Amino acid sequence: MLSREQARAFYDRFGAKQDTQRFYEDPATRDLVAHADLKSAEHVFEFGCGTGRFAHDILSHHLPPGASYRGVDLSSTMVRLARERLTPFGERAKLEQSDGSPWIHAPDASLDRLISNYVLDLLSEEDMRLFVADAHRALKPEGRLCLVSLTWGSTPLSRLVTWGWVRIHALRPSLVGGCRPIELLDLLPDTSWRIEHRNVLTPFGVTSEIVVAAKL
Ligand SMILES: C[S@@+](CC[C@H](N)C(=O)[O-])C[C@H]1O[C@@H](n2cnc3c(N)ncnc32)[C@H](O)[C@@H]1O
């Protein structure tokens, strides 16, 4: 898998090309938005905001006018692109570059929604678990952790795509942006989280898992 330094170098180079992945990402992130009850959220945090495309959509169409958004990303190129894109939202939208650690830079029990799309599937097992534990700390009680990631296909075409993807990842992870299929539900013990929504979608043979989990 990619180290943090390799992931930063890759996404610094990849930059705006990230938005070409929308052909398989948009159906999954639309499903997430449809189940994340964003209209009742005041404080929203996104981990791995990329070019700010998702943030622009939710600030324009789904969050209430008073809601604030904070996004972090380890790539300086992504933070710059997201800042430019979110300029019209002024003080409502703040972006920061992170060092790639899995900690959420927010006070305890301060967030209504914590969103991360196609980022956990880049992290090590340990960082994924640290991220989820810190998400639990940073969310308000009943706040929602909203996640989308690559997962394993279950139809003949998507199984073939997953098979090829995993092999490419094993040989040269940068060819697939460092991402590999994971299982989000495995990260969310029912002693700490209530699963409000879970779905698996496979546009163009690429399979994504969508999970909205409430903090208990
Ligand atoms: C596959 S892209 C997804 C971007 C965006 N969320 C989207 O759905 O279009 C992964 C993003 O996560 C960022 N990233 C990778 N590792 C990270 C880490 N450890 N901490 C924060 N951001 C990270 C990358 O720079 C990149 O912007």
Side-chain angles (χ1 to χ4, degrees), residues 135-154:
H136 199 270
R137 175 196 63 75
L139 280 164
K140 295 178 184 174
E142 291 296 320
R144 307 290 199 276
L145 179 59
C146 306
L147 301 173
V148 180
S149 82
L150 289 174
T151 195
W152 302 84
S154 57

Side-chain angles (χ1 to χ4, degrees), residues 194-208:
R194 183 180 66 250
I195 304 303
E196 301 253 292
H197 174 71
R198 193 229 173 206
N199 199 1
V200 174
L201 294 176
T202 307
F204 301 98
V206 184
T207 307
S208 299

Side-chain angles (χ1 to χ4, degrees), residues 4-198:
R4 286 179 195 166
E5 292 68 30
Q6 288 169 326
R8 176 181 287 124
F10 176 86
Y11 284 100
D12 277 348
R13 280 197 312 275
F14 202 49
K17 289 199 277 298
Q18 175 58 38
D19 291 351
T20 61
Q21 308 300 299
R22 63 189 302 168
F23 74 95
Y24 70 84
E25 291 192 1
D26 281 3
T29 54
R30 272 199 298 271
D31 185 69
L32 186 80
V33 166
H35 294 90
D37 189 22
L38 294 175
K39 62 187 177 313
S40 68
E42 283 176 37
H43 299 291
V44 176
F45 189 105
E46 186 178 8
F47 181 79
C49 60
T51 65
R53 200 166 62 83
F54 181 79
H56 190 278
D57 177 53
I58 60 174
L59 281 158
S60 303
H61 302 297
H62 302 286
L63 289 171
S68 67
Y69 166 94
R70 200 151 147 234
V72 298
D73 201 288
L74 98 167
S75 152
S76 57
T77 305
M78 292 303 191
V79 171
R80 179 178 52 75
L81 292 170
R83 248 189 215 130
E84 285 167 14
R85 187 171 246 159
L86 301 182
T87 302
F89 299 99
E91 285 299 298
R92 288 181 68 200
K94 296 211 167 96
L95 283 310
E96 269 168 45
Q97 187 180 357
S98 79
D99 63 2
S101 66
W103 314 120
I104 314 300
H105 290 197
D108 295 358
S110 61
L111 302 176
D112 297 290
R113 300 289 178 274
L114 176 41
I115 299 167
S116 192
N117 298 328
Y118 300 101
V119 184
L120 265 62
D121 46 24
L122 266 145
L123 305 186
S124 66
E125 281 285 329
E126 189 191 3
D127 277 1
M128 282 193 254
R129 292 193 186 278
L130 291 172
F131 169 83
V132 170
D134 208 40
H136 199 270
R137 175 196 63 75
L139 280 164
K140 295 178 184 174
E142 291 296 320
R144 307 290 199 276
L145 179 59
C146 306
L147 301 173
V148 180
S149 82
L150 289 174
T151 195
W152 302 84
S154 57
T155 62
L157 172 62
S158 63
R159 273 210 289 265
L160 186 66
V161 171
T162 305
W163 180 87
W165 194 298
V166 168
R167 259 137 207 87
I168 293 169
H169 183 269
L171 287 173
R172 203 159 154 210
S174 61
L175 287 179
V176 285
C179 305
R180 83 291 194 194
I182 59 169
E183 302 248 13
L184 291 173
L185 279 190
D186 289 352
L187 300 169
L188 301 165
D190 58 11
T191 44
S192 304
W193 302 97
R194 183 180 66 250
I195 304 303
E196 301 253 292
H197 174 71
R198 193 229 173 206

